Amino acid sequence: MAGMLRSTIFLAKGLREFTRGGYERAAKRFDDAVMQRSLAGRRAMVTGANQGLGYQTSLELARRGATLYMVCRNEERGREAVERVRRDSGNNDVHLKVCDLASLAAIRGLAEEWLASGQPLDLLVNNAGLMLHERTPSADGYETNFAVNTLGAFALTAALEPALHAAGEPAAGTEAAAAAGGAACVAGGSSGSAAGGARVIFVSSGGQYTEPLEYTEPLEVEDLEAKRWKKFDGTRQYARDKRRQIALAERFSERWAAAGKRTRAYAMHPGWTETEGVKTSIPGFYNSFKNKLRNLQQGCDTTVWLCLEDGSMLEPGAFYLDRQPQAKHLPLAGTSYSSADVDRLGAALEQMAAPALPSS
């Protein structure tokens, strides 16, 4: 019964808010002065960057002057994407990082290379996403949707924490600027102000509304699937992963704040956007709603805005759609969870992600 109610409310909400029309209505209240700010001097990393929302996000950040690192699984497609972004943005400070986010060893390699360079990281956009409809094991033996969407995003964020926190530390002689804060800190580079601390953005999905938070072990293996759905359901697995990403944004932000760090995490929903992934992974949905889907620029608008807006104006751990925090649960949907549940999820992922974390 709860599942049917969730689906009905979700569809009604989606048609009203997640479509191109929903974006166009929301855009009437946007302050686009924020979108004119510069990201010069700030280092940004975008995963799943060779196509779709990841590519468009990369292009928008490069246009605003970011030093950009595009994380792609396939080197050839990644190089082509980097060249297109350089050409179309006029920004040559765009670079490729090859990494299969389904592999903990590959994530560790990427993180060790970055940390060895000594560079801070101002912006991490966990965009890479996967929806496979057949159970496929990752290199580490996890179900591959889970390995990329949940474990990979968690492991990469955790592995890069030293670089993220370094971006939030005041540079020598900038104490006054750190105290002043403000929009100039966001626009001007790796300031140590609250506005200038590093940001991690999880590109989630409205699909998360349809599933509760799964935090008990095993999170992704057959035992759990067999109990709930006799046949593996990639769409539900994806929705569970997207719910977890929202919980991870909460947990990272709370943990960092408690430790006195300036880094913060946010989750966002791009709305129902026309991508190749949507066309191939959920063709029935695409065929039903293709005339209502957002374009790529509309889909990545909130991600780019989260990179540009004053930190003091943002709500750490929130779930954003169209530049505003959203409720994380539908009414009467039965998907609420506690902070203890989120801690259990985090503890399980920490154990799983250990092979990806560089030695201190």
Side-chain angles (χ1 to χ4, degrees):
M1 182 64 71
M4 291 178 61
L5 179 61
R6 280 200 299 269
S7 297
T8 301
I9 299 175
F10 171 72
L11 182 59
K13 183 178 179 68
L15 289 170
R16 183 177 66 252
E17 300 176 14
F18 303 165
T19 58
R20 183 172 63 248
Y23 175 87
E24 291 169 348
R25 286 188 293 275
K28 294 176 182 178
R29 59 168 167 76
F30 289 173
D31 173 13
D32 278 328
V34 173
M35 304 299 275
Q36 306 308 312
R37 294 175 178 172
S38 171
L39 287 170
R42 291 174 74 82
R43 298 171 182 84
M45 181 182 292
V46 180
T47 67
N50 66 286
Q51 66 176 3
L53 288 168
Y55 176 82
Q56 189 67 37
T57 300
S58 298
L59 178 59
E60 298 298 334
L61 298 183
R63 282 173 170 164
R64 290 163 175 84
T67 297
L68 180 67
Y69 296 84
M70 299 172 64
V71 178
C72 305
R73 181 175 60 86
N74 182 283
E75 183 171 5
E76 181 179 356
R77 290 198 293 270
R79 291 193 182 282
E80 292 173 354
V82 165
E83 289 305 317
R84 292 200 311 273
V85 168
R86 287 175 176 171
R87 181 193 67 215
D88 294 344
S89 69
N91 181 351
N92 287 321
D93 204 0
V94 178
H95 313 277
L96 174 65
K97 293 291 184 183
V98 177
C99 181
D100 180 359
L101 291 171
S103 165
L104 295 172
I107 292 172
R108 177 171 179 148
L110 172 60
E112 286 181 334
E113 180 184 26
W114 186 278
L115 297 177
S117 75
Q119 296 185 94
L121 181 60
D122 301 276
L123 301 165
L124 172 60
V125 180
N126 285 311
N127 166 81
L130 193 64
M131 186 191 293
L132 299 178
H133 294 289
E134 293 186 5
R135 182 183 300 282
T136 306
S138 71
D140 303 289
Y142 297 107
E143 190 279 312
T144 301
N145 291 308
F146 170 84
V148 173
N149 302 334
T150 295
L151 183 57
F154 174 88
L156 183 63
T157 302
L160 290 172
E161 277 189 70
L164 291 163
H165 297 333
E169 292 301 316
T174 63
E175 289 82 358
C185 296
V186 178
S190 300
S191 148
S193 72
R199 300 176 190 185
V200 177
I201 300 165
F202 292 89
V203 179
S204 184
S205 166
Q208 67 89 20
Y209 282 117
T210 65
E211 290 294 319
L213 181 69
E214 290 289 356
Y215 60 85
T216 55
E217 295 185 73
L219 288 168
E220 78 308 326
V221 294
E222 273 187 40
D223 289 347
L224 181 60
E225 279 299 332
K227 289 178 182 177
R228 299 203 170 190
W229 307 292
K230 292 182 180 179
K231 182 179 179 182
F232 177 75
D233 189 326
T235 304
R236 272 179 156 166
Q237 178 75 318
Y238 179 86
R240 292 200 303 274
D241 286 331
K242 294 303 175 179
R243 167 66 73 187
R244 292 185 193 116
Q245 288 180 345
I246 290 173
L248 292 179
E250 296 168 357
R251 188 172 189 270
F252 275 121
S253 284
E254 290 172 1
R255 186 161 62 83
W256 291 334
K261 304 299 184 181
R262 301 175 188 271
T263 311
R264 297 293 181 266
Y266 311 90
M268 64 80 63
H269 173 23
W272 292 347
T273 302
E274 183 172 352
T275 67
E276 287 303 313
V278 168
K279 292 179 184 178
T280 58
S281 297
I282 43 176
F285 172 86
Y286 173 75
N287 289 330
S288 296
F289 297 104
K290 60 184 176 182
N291 294 325
K292 299 180 182 296
L293 299 181
R294 301 179 179 204
N295 62 39
L296 291 175
Q297 193 162 17
Q298 293 169 338
C300 77
D301 177 86
T302 295
T303 300
V304 177
W305 176 83
L306 284 167
C307 293
L308 293 165
E309 179 59 284
D310 291 359
S312 60
M313 302 296 290
L314 301 177
E315 183 181 326
F319 177 48
Y320 281 85
L321 170 69
D322 294 335
R323 309 188 194 180
Q324 284 196 333
Q326 304 293 307
K328 297 175 182 178
H329 306 276
L330 297 174
L332 305 175
T335 59
S336 61
Y337 51 83
S338 68
S339 59
D341 296 336
V342 178
D343 285 342
R344 292 185 187 102
L345 170 66
L349 291 174
E350 285 168 7
Q351 184 174 5
M352 293 178 184
L357 305 184
S359 56
S360 56

